[in-house]
Amino acid sequence: MTTRITLQQLESYLWDAAVLLRGTIDAGDYKQFIMPLLSYKRLCDVFEEETEVALAESGGDGGFAAFPENHRFQIPPEAHWREIRKVSRDVGQALQVALRAIETANPDRLYGIFGDAQWTNKDRLSDATLRDLIEHFSSLELTVANLPEDGLGNGYEYLIKKFAKQNNKIEHGESDLFLTGDSITMRFETPVPQS
């Protein structure tokens, strides 16, 4: 059974992630960490959702469910969110390796999408802080059934505006901070693979 995530729940979820970073990094840098984690969690949750659909359609055939044609994006098993949740030491390094593995597995569509945040800088982000963020993001399933693309786009728009307000960069200024709802949604809408 799916539980639809409301806009209010999503906004609270995103802002609570930012609160976890307070005091560890500048507010202007929150987006460098929160947005990649949100995207990473979403990709993995949608991959699992697609796997479940393929298993149902094939009568439980795991080989069929693993076919790339059944997925919008490829998630290498070692780079899956569930694997990152198991990491307790050098979490930033493990995150960086996982994010790059996903970009490498999807070079035409995801290359560079996770940015260049300094995940391995333990002076800014300790293992404990990263684990807290990972566990926080694990609290919701970001599947398409729970959170359609337009809902995710609204969440991104909310977060971008909150970051801009936090930095007193309202309205015109930095183009990457002020995407319209449509462009945010477009970035995260993905076509269903054609057989």
Side-chain angles (χ1 to χ4, degrees), residues 28-153:
D29 293 336
Y30 289 175
K31 68 178 177 147
Q32 293 179 10
F33 298 95
I34 292 173
M35 291 182 169
L37 284 176
L38 179 64
S39 298
Y40 176 32
K41 177 70 162 72
R42 170 64 167 212
L43 287 167
C44 291
D45 285 356
V46 170
F47 184 86
E48 286 305 308
E49 183 178 38
E50 293 165 342
T51 298
E52 290 174 21
V53 168
L55 285 169
E57 290 175 353
S58 67
D61 184 343
F64 174 81
F67 285 154
E69 296 80 13
N70 290 320
H71 301 280
R72 299 170 199 202
F73 300 100
Q74 299 308 301
I75 306 296
E78 70 280 3
H80 197 285
W81 184 266
R82 69 177 159 260
E83 298 305 315
I84 287 299
R85 287 187 76 188
K86 297 175 187 176
V87 176
S88 60
R89 292 183 40 190
D90 297 323
V91 178
Q93 178 65 32
L95 262 172
Q96 193 164 347
V97 168
L99 297 176
R100 296 303 165 243
I102 292 171
E103 288 179 343
T104 300
N106 303 277
D108 296 336
R109 298 177 67 201
L110 295 180
Y111 180 78
I113 195 164
F114 296 117
D116 60 358
Q118 295 180 4
W119 296 104
T120 59
N121 185 342
K122 288 188 178 187
D123 292 333
R124 294 183 79 192
L125 289 171
S126 67
D127 284 337
T129 299
L130 287 172
R131 292 219 18 85
D132 288 346
L133 272 173
I134 290 165
E135 288 310 306
H136 171 73
F137 276 105
S138 298
S139 67
L140 290 178
E141 286 188 21
L142 302 178
T143 61
V144 174
N146 291 350
L147 185 64
E149 277 88 355
D150 60 341
L152 186 62

